[in-house]
């Protein structure tokens, strides 16, 4: 007995070891077998990212867990992903793990999580899901079992698809169906000939045709028991509930799969006929505040879909939506919407898809004495849709506000009147063939008033009217006011129907006139906060700002010829503004735009785009005769980039080409600016008193009065890059002193500038008279000293460095060269001797050495210590250099004379 128990124990242990170890040894082999079976049956490439096998999770079945299961199409959809499943779990009998390649694998349970399936029909009619191999054996025997064709037998008892997505797109007919957030499950027995499948399905449904979206995220639920007759491929609805949003439908009928087609015989209707069903159809976003609403009348949806479905035919259908003499009233509002009539029918009598049409025979409602009604016939739904519609009526927006709950903070007033009709086909809309669009009638808006989050100030449209008697709709009158802004516009709208029906940009040409346009009036009222303005002199009307202030409309594609007497923008007042604007793709392009400002004129050409996360601009500005003081106060850019301009009085001309980013109030972000400028000063007046830089320079250059130098006609070039200003070298004159300036400074006004002064000899004054008197007059006239001046620090706390050593060396060299030139005719020996004497104190030119040295009269040469006397030897000085140095230092070190003294000195 013990031996038997021992043998049994060992056997059990071996079995356990095999069960535990088998997944590790066989999972790759089993995964390859499954992959080979898929690839053998499909014209596609099957791939797995990771495979795991367990013999315990679904015991007595084995569970194969596949991560990253993919099916990649071959031609003509080569490279497209037909299916991808993040997780796929298959339960199969353990014995099937050891089947050879010729034996099918039976699938008992299937779970798919986070899958994406994309089914596509191309323009040639090829289907991306048609991937089954058309083998010779299959052709010989079409009745073969599916398991022999695919290598799998789906004997499912349970299956699930969770958090998945499916899309279908027919590029030829421009049909597009998308199901998102799919959760679907089924319990039944697919191994039986007949059984009941209990299913639950929910998804969000999107459907579009020819660019028009008819379903936009409707929540669909189907909870149904389906009788499956797998032998005859017949599936019949039994107990079921279907919901479209909250509208309940009851389904009856069956679907049967035939060899050449699918037979459909399904009917549906609403279990109740209460008008509340109408609100149930609406997406949840539009069904707010329905608590307590009272309704009368009916609303019903019913339909029949019956017939064969194949590549060329669809079922016949007759789907009706009807409401008669209905009404509804919100509990907190005084008015009732009455006489609601809806009579719409989607029908196909032939089974040919092109014969499907939608007939909205009537739709109308009343609010008090106001009535709006319309009808439409739409044919050729799947090809070139033909539309014939009419609408007429009057609506007082006060009545509308008393019948419908408006968003919080919104108020409406005014009256709408319309009587219009249109006939068109969608191809004409798409190709903008407006001559094929037949419209008539008119629409008008009077005394309309809007208050809400879209604008800070109320918008009042005194009158607006459109004339639809020609193919291009005419905007005849448009008079509006919001805040300080008044607008008067006329023009042509090219594609109003395309804009309303096909999500096209609104295209047109308009002229706009205004007395005042205040850009702040067009900011949104959302998240309003007191932000620091780019210009502290901002007008009162621009004191409010917002994080989402100004956005160029994405739907506009218009040419605008505009004139405005005043435009208020970011603290500036622009006068006599006129030009041409092109608005397209969230970009405003200005051409030949001019304005008067700062007692001068600016011409503007360029663009502003708000398409990206950060608005950008590219502008060319031609500024003429601007008042410098007013420009400095008004332009924040001048303060940061050319702060020195504040000392000037008069006019300036400048051409600026700039690119950069804008903040959300469309003011330039100075650190992003890049470009060039050419500036010309038209002034003779400089006020250095209150400028730290010029005041300090005035102290250093004691022989110059900076308040009196002439800067007229100065022209210079500036370059803006990486938040810094580079100034190209430019020349100017300070009372006969030639000056050249260049350098750069940052936005924090840290300077790196060089000023080169070429000082004539006449500025040496009486201190240099004794030195210069020994030179001929023509030599004195040609003699000047180059004095480099270095600027660093900031404009408010400048550092100025005068390179006097270089100036001394320059003056010394010039005097020596003059002396050499005078002796050139006496030969090289004489020149060298004279220069030697000159350098050693022997002045051949009437004692000029002593004058240059500042001694007054020549000293006894014998007083110079002899070279042999080592104890008293003194190194000879360079008298010319010493005299020049004393002269330069005295020139730049002496105190500035008073005006009275200056007149006497001469």
């Amino acid at each position: 007995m013990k031996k038997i128990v021992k043998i049994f124990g060992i056997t059990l242990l071996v079995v356990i070891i095999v069960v535990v170890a088998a997944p590790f040894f066989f999972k790759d082999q089993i995964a390859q077998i499954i992959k080979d079976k898929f690839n053998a049956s499909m014209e596609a490439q099957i791939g797995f990212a990771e495979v795991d096998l367990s013999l315990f999770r679904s015991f007595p079945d084995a569970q194969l867990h596949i991560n990253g299961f993919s099916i990649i199409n071959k031609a003509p959809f080569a490279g497209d992903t037909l299916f991808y499943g993040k997780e796929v779990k298959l339960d199969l009998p353990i014995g099937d793990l050891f089947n050879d390649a010729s034996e099918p694998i039976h699938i008992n349970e299937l779970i798919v999580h986070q899958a994406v399936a994309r089914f596509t029909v191309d323009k040639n009619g090829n289907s991306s899901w048609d991937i089954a191999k058309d083998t010779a054996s299959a052709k010989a025997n079409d009745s073969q079992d599916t398991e022999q064709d695919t290598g799998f037998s789906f004997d499912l008892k349970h299956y699930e698809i969770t958090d998945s997505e499916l899309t279908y797109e027919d590029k030829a007919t421009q049909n597009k169906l998308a199901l998102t957030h799919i959760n679907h499950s089924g319990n039944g027995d697919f191994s039986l000939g007949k059984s009941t499948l209990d299913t639950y399905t929910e998804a969000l449904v999107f459907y579009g045709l020819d660019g028009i979206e008819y379903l936009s995220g409707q929540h669909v639920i189907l909870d149904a028991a389906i009788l499956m007759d797998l032998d005859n491929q017949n599936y019949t609805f039994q107990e079921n509930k279907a919901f479209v949003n909250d509208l309940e439908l009851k389904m009856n009928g069956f679907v049967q799969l035939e060899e050449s087609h699918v037979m459909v015989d399904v009917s549906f209707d609403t279990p109740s006929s209460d008008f509340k069903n109408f609100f149930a159809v609406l997406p949840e976003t539009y069904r707010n505040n329905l608590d307590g609403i009272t309704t009368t009348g009916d609303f019903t949806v019913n339909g029949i879909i019956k017939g064969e479905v194949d590549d060329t035919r669809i079922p016949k259908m007759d789907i009706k939506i009807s409401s008669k003499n209905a009404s509804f009233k919100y509990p907190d509002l005084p008015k009732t919407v009455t006489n609601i009539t809806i009579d719409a029918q989607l029908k196909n009598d032939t089974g040919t898809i092109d014969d499907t049409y939608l007939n909205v025979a009537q739709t109308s409602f009343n609010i008090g004495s106001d009535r709006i009604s319309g009808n439409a016939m739409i044919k050729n739904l799947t090809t070139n849709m033909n539309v014939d519609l009419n609408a007429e009526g009057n609506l007082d927006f006060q009545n509308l506000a008393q019948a419908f709950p408006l968003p919080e903070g919104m108020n409406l007033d005014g009256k709408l009147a319309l009587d219009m009709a249109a006939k068109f086909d969608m191809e004409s809309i798409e190709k903008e063939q407006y001559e094929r669009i037949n419209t008539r009638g008119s629409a008008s808006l009077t005394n309309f008033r809007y208050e809400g989050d879209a604008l800070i100030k109320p918008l009042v449209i005194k009158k607006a009217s459109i004339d639809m008697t020609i193919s291009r709709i005419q905007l005849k009158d448009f008079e509006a006011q919001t805040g300080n802004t008044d607008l008067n516009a006329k023009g042509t709208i090219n594609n109003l129907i395309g804009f309303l029906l096909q999500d096209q940009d609104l295209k047109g040409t308009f002229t706009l006139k205004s007395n005042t346009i205040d850009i702040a009036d067009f900011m949104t009222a959302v998240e309003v906060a007191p932000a620091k303005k780019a210009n502290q002199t901002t007008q009162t009307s621009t004191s409010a700002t917002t994080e989402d202030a100004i956005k160029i409309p994405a739907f506009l594609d218009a040419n605008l010829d505009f004139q405005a007497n005043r435009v208020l923008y970011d603290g500036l007042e622009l006068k006599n503004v006129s030009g041409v604007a092109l608005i397209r793709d969230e970009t405003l392009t200005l051409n030949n735009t001019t304005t008067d400002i700062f007692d001068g004129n600016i011409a503007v050409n360029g663009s502003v785009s708000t398409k990206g996360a950060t608005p950008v601009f590219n502008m060319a500005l031609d500024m003429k005769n601007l008042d410098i003081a007013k420009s400095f106060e008004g332009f924040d850019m001048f303060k940061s980039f050319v702060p020195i301009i504040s000392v000037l009085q008069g006019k300036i001309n400048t051409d600026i080409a700039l690119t950069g980013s804008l903040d959300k109030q469309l003011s330039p972000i100075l650190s992003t600016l890049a470009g060039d400028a050419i500036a010309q000063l038209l002034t003779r007046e400089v006020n250095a008193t209150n400028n730290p830089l010029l005041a300090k320079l005035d102290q250093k250059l004691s022989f110059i009065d900076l308040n009196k130098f002439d800067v007229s006609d100065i022209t210079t070039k500036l370059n803006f890059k990486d938040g810094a200003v580079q100034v190209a070298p430019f020349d100017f004159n300070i009372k006969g002193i030639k000056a050249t300036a260049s350098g750069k400074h940052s936005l924090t006004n840290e300077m790196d500038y060089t000023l080169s002064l070429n000082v004539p000899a006449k500025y040496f004054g009486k201190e240099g008279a004794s030195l210069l008197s020994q030179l001929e007059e023509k030599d004195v006239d040609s003699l000047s000293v180059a004095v480099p001046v270095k600027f660093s620090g900031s404009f408010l706390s400048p550092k100025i460095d005068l390179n006097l050593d270089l100036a001394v060396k320059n003056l010394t060299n010039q005097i020596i060269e003059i002396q050499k030139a005078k002796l050139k005719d006496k030969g090289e020996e004489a020149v060298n001797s004279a220069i030697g004497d000159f350098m050693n104190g022997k002045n051949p030119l009437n004692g000029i050495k002593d004058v240059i040295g500042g001694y007054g009269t020549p000293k006894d040469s014998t007083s110079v210590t002899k070279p042999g006397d080592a104890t008293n030897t003194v190194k000879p000085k360079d008298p010319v250099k010493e005299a020049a140095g004393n002269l330069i230092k005295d020139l730049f070190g002496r105190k500035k004379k008073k005006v009275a003294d200056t007149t006497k000195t001469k």
Side-chain angles (χ1 to χ4, degrees):
M1 184 67 180
K2 290 183 179 180
K3 187 176 182 180
I4 295 174
V5 172
K6 185 176 182 180
I7 294 173
F8 176 78
I10 293 173
T11 303
L12 180 61
L13 179 62
V14 170
V15 170
I16 293 174
I17 292 173
V18 169
V19 169
V20 172
F24 298 98
F25 293 108
F26 297 113
K27 68 177 183 179
D28 293 334
Q29 179 181 351
I30 294 168
Q32 189 60 47
I33 291 173
I34 292 176
K35 189 182 297 184
D36 290 342
K37 286 182 179 291
F38 274 117
N39 286 326
S41 62
M42 298 180 182
E43 290 288 351
Q45 185 63 44
I46 310 302
F48 305 153
E50 185 180 357
V51 177
D52 181 40
L53 178 66
S54 173
L55 302 181
F56 291 103
R57 295 189 190 120
S58 300
F59 190 82
D61 286 346
Q63 185 180 91
L64 189 67
H65 189 169
I66 303 172
N67 289 329
F69 180 93
S70 62
I71 302 176
I72 308 299
N73 277 114
K74 296 181 179 180
F77 298 92
D80 291 351
T81 300
L82 177 65
F83 176 86
Y84 175 82
K86 183 177 181 180
E87 295 181 76
V88 177
K89 299 178 183 178
L90 304 172
D91 287 1
L92 57 154
I94 292 178
D96 284 13
L97 298 176
F98 306 99
N99 289 355
D100 58 33
S102 63
E103 296 179 294
I105 294 177
H106 297 80
I107 307 299
N108 296 330
E109 182 171 298
L110 172 66
I111 298 176
V112 179
H113 179 60
Q114 290 188 353
V116 177
R118 306 205 182 280
F119 300 145
T120 305
V121 179
D122 65 17
K123 293 183 178 180
N124 298 319
N126 299 308
S127 303
S128 65
W129 64 89
D130 188 10
I131 59 174
K133 286 186 176 179
D134 192 10
T135 61
S137 60
K139 292 179 180 179
N141 184 7
D142 291 339
S143 62
Q144 281 187 335
D145 292 339
T146 301
E147 65 184 53
Q148 293 176 344
D149 290 340
T150 65
F152 296 93
S153 174
F154 288 91
D155 299 333
L156 294 173
K157 308 297 188 299
H158 174 75
Y159 67 91
E160 292 180 20
I161 301 173
T162 60
D163 195 17
S164 297
E165 177 182 330
L166 179 148
T167 61
Y168 165 84
E169 182 177 10
D170 189 330
K171 294 186 177 180
T173 62
Q174 298 189 56
N175 272 279
K176 189 169 184 179
L177 173 69
L179 305 179
T180 65
H181 298 85
I182 300 172
N183 289 289
H184 172 70
S185 63
N187 293 290
D189 192 342
F190 284 80
S191 64
L192 301 178
K194 290 185 178 182
S195 65
T196 299
L197 177 68
D198 292 321
T199 67
Y200 178 84
T201 306
E202 67 173 324
L204 299 181
V205 182
F206 300 82
Y207 176 71
L209 173 62
D210 200 22
I212 300 175
E213 191 173 66
Y214 293 96
L215 298 177
S216 55
Q218 269 66 19
H219 188 203
V220 174
I221 296 176
L222 176 62
D223 187 356
I226 300 174
L227 178 62
M228 299 190 302
D229 183 351
L230 298 181
D231 294 334
N232 297 304
Q233 293 293 293
N234 182 281
Y235 305 88
T236 303
F237 284 104
Q238 294 184 314
E239 289 295 323
N240 66 85
K241 286 183 179 180
F243 293 87
V244 179
N245 292 328
D246 286 342
L247 176 66
E248 183 179 353
L249 297 173
K250 182 77 172 178
M251 312 280 290
N252 293 289
F254 67 90
V255 176
Q256 183 163 332
L257 307 183
E258 302 288 351
E259 292 183 6
S260 61
H261 63 273
V262 177
M263 176 61 73
V264 178
D265 188 351
V266 175
S267 63
F268 57 88
D269 59 15
T270 52
S272 68
S273 61
D274 195 301
F275 187 73
K276 286 184 179 180
N277 290 338
F278 170 78
F279 294 99
V281 177
L282 300 178
E284 186 174 357
T285 305
Y286 303 102
R287 287 187 284 125
N288 297 326
N289 305 319
L290 291 180
D291 293 340
I293 192 171
T294 57
T295 63
T296 63
D298 59 13
F299 178 83
T300 59
V301 178
N302 59 74
I304 298 173
I305 302 174
K306 185 175 182 178
E308 299 176 357
V309 182
D310 58 21
D311 292 339
T312 60
R313 292 175 297 173
I314 64 170
K316 298 177 183 179
M317 66 181 69
D318 187 1
I319 301 173
K320 297 177 181 179
I321 301 175
S322 177
S323 179
K324 296 178 181 179
N325 197 28
S327 70
F328 68 87
K329 182 181 181 301
Y330 283 87
D332 299 328
L333 297 175
K335 290 191 178 293
T336 303
V337 180
T338 61
N339 297 326
I340 301 172
T341 299
I342 302 173
D343 183 3
Q345 183 179 31
L346 180 65
K347 194 168 185 178
N348 184 298
D349 296 319
T350 65
T352 301
I353 190 169
D354 290 342
D355 292 337
T356 306
Y357 64 88
L358 173 63
N359 180 22
V360 182
Q362 184 180 6
T363 178
S364 59
F365 65 89
N366 283 47
I367 304 177
S369 60
D370 298 334
R371 182 171 180 81
I372 298 289
S373 64
N375 58 75
M377 173 66 79
I378 305 174
K379 298 181 178 180
N380 297 334
L381 293 178
T382 59
T383 54
N384 181 24
M385 189 185 303
N386 283 274
V387 179
D388 183 355
L389 60 86
N390 297 271
E392 62 178 347
N394 296 279
L395 180 63
D396 187 323
F397 285 97
Q398 277 196 348
N399 289 337
L400 180 68
Q402 293 180 42
F404 286 96
L406 300 178
E408 184 177 357
M410 180 184 289
N411 292 307
L412 296 176
D413 198 357
K415 295 183 178 181
L416 170 70
L418 71 153
D419 182 2
M420 54 177 289
K423 289 184 180 181
F424 56 90
D425 62 277
M426 297 308 298
E427 184 178 276
S428 300
I429 300 295
E430 292 169 0
K431 296 182 178 180
E432 300 183 11
Q433 297 173 335
Y434 305 120
E435 67 278 359
R436 293 170 53 183
I437 301 172
N438 182 12
T439 60
R440 64 169 180 80
S442 63
S444 65
L445 195 63
T446 55
N447 296 322
F448 175 80
R449 181 182 177 88
Y450 164 84
E451 294 182 45
D453 290 340
L455 294 170
I456 287 179
K457 309 284 180 64
L459 171 64
V460 177
I461 300 177
K462 298 177 182 177
K463 63 177 180 178
S465 63
I466 59 174
D467 184 355
M468 305 179 65
T469 56
I470 60 176
S471 59
R472 284 177 170 82
I473 297 171
Q474 299 292 314
L475 177 63
K476 296 180 65 176
D477 296 294
F478 181 86
E479 294 182 16
Q481 179 89 30
T482 177
N484 298 318
T485 301
D486 62 279
L487 302 172
N488 193 316
K490 295 182 180 181
T492 301
I493 303 173
N494 294 338
N495 65 330
L496 180 61
I497 296 175
F499 170 69
L500 296 175
L501 297 183
Q502 276 216 321
D503 197 27
Q504 292 182 357
D505 292 345
L506 183 62
K507 299 179 180 181
T509 302
F510 307 93
T511 59
L512 173 68
K513 294 183 179 180
S514 173
N515 183 53
T516 300
I517 297 177
D518 189 344
I519 301 301
D521 292 333
F522 298 95
M523 296 179 180
T524 63
V526 180
E527 298 181 6
V528 174
K532 182 180 179 181
K533 295 296 297 174
N535 298 298
Q536 297 300 327
T537 57
T538 301
Q539 303 283 345
T540 303
S541 59
T542 60
S543 60
T545 60
T546 174
E547 286 300 315
D548 299 311
I550 303 173
K551 194 79 171 175
I552 298 172
F555 64 84
L556 273 182
D557 184 353
N559 291 308
L560 186 65
D561 191 334
F562 61 91
Q563 294 180 4
N565 294 334
R566 291 197 317 153
V567 174
L568 305 179
Y569 167 60
D570 200 29
L572 304 177
E573 182 178 359
L574 289 73
K575 297 180 179 180
N576 301 321
V577 183
S578 65
V580 177
L582 173 63
I583 304 171
R584 178 181 298 162
D585 195 26
E586 297 183 57
T587 300
L588 170 67
T589 302
L590 297 174
N591 295 308
N592 301 320
T593 301
T594 61
T595 181
D596 295 335
I597 188 172
F598 305 138
D599 298 337
N601 180 269
I602 299 178
V604 181
N605 289 277
S607 64
V608 175
S609 175
T610 60
K611 187 173 184 179
T614 301
V616 295
F617 76 97
N618 184 344
M619 286 288 179
L621 307 175
D622 183 9
M623 303 180 176
K624 298 295 184 185
N625 295 312
L626 299 190
D627 181 271
I628 294 175
K630 293 180 180 179
S631 300
F632 185 80
E633 286 300 318
F635 281 145
D636 192 61
M637 181 177 66
F638 277 16
K639 294 179 182 179
S640 298
F641 282 156
V642 282
I644 195 68
I645 202 175
S646 63
V647 306
L648 303 178
Q649 299 174 10
K651 298 281 189 176
I652 186 173
N653 291 342
T654 181
D655 290 332
I656 303 177
L658 282 178
T659 62
S661 300
L662 302 168
D663 61 22
K664 292 185 178 180
Q665 286 76 49
L666 300 189
S667 294
I669 301 174
L670 298 182
S671 60
T672 68
L673 295 187
D676 299 287
I678 297 177
Q680 179 187 23
L681 297 177
L682 305 175
T683 180
R684 295 178 180 272
E685 300 180 25
V686 177
N687 181 7
T689 306
N690 296 322
N691 185 276
L693 173 62
L694 293 186
K696 194 165 187 177
L697 181 62
D698 200 30
Q699 294 175 2
K700 292 281 186 179
L701 305 180
S702 57
F703 57 94
I704 299 175
D705 188 351
L706 292 179
N707 286 309
K708 294 184 178 181
F709 79 89
D710 184 2
V711 293
S712 61
D713 296 326
I714 288 180
T715 300
T716 185
K717 183 177 181 180
L718 293 79
N719 176 263
F720 310 102
K721 187 178 180 181
D722 300 328
V725 182
Q726 183 78 43
V727 180
F730 66 96
D731 298 328
F732 57 98
N733 195 284
I734 309 175
K735 298 297 184 181
I737 300 174
K738 183 181 178 182
T740 301
S742 64
K744 65 180 180 179
H745 68 270
S746 67
L747 286 180
T748 56
N749 291 327
E750 295 298 319
M751 296 183 294
D752 182 10
Y753 279 97
T754 298
L755 174 66
S756 179
L757 298 173
N758 195 17
V759 184
K762 65 181 181 179
Y763 279 91
F764 297 161
K766 67 179 182 179
E767 294 86 348
S770 58
L771 174 63
L772 300 177
S773 65
Q774 307 304 315
L775 302 178
E776 296 181 9
E777 185 176 351
K778 63 183 183 64
D779 295 329
V780 174
D781 291 341
S782 65
L783 187 64
S784 62
V785 180
V787 181
V789 184
K790 185 74 173 177
F791 298 88
S792 59
S794 68
F795 284 98
L796 296 179
S797 181
K799 298 178 182 178
I800 299 178
D801 179 24
L802 295 174
N803 195 337
L804 298 183
D805 290 338
L806 186 60
V808 169
K809 181 178 179 181
N810 182 282
L811 179 58
T812 302
N813 291 337
Q814 289 187 72
I815 294 175
I816 291 175
E817 289 301 318
I818 291 173
Q819 301 304 325
K820 288 173 65 177
K822 288 182 178 180
L823 298 174
K824 66 180 179 179
D825 295 333
K826 297 182 180 182
E828 181 179 348
E829 183 179 349
V831 172
N832 291 335
S833 176
I835 296 301
D837 291 342
F838 196 74
M839 298 296 292
N840 291 301
K842 296 179 180 180
N843 187 355
L845 298 177
N846 300 320
I848 191 172
K849 176 182 75 68
D850 292 329
V851 176
I852 294 175
Y855 307 122
T857 59
K859 290 187 178 182
D860 186 357
S861 61
T862 59
S863 65
V864 179
T865 305
K866 296 180 180 180
D869 190 355
T871 59
N872 296 310
T873 300
V874 178
K875 185 178 180 180
K877 294 183 179 180
D878 183 344
V880 176
K881 184 174 182 181
E882 184 179 8
N886 291 334
L887 180 60
I888 294 296
K889 292 175 182 178
D890 192 51
L891 176 66
F892 287 93
R894 66 174 181 250
K895 293 183 180 180
K896 189 180 292 291
K897 292 182 173 64
K898 296 181 181 180
V899 175
D901 293 337
T902 302
T903 58
K904 293 178 181 179
T905 300
K906 190 169 183 180

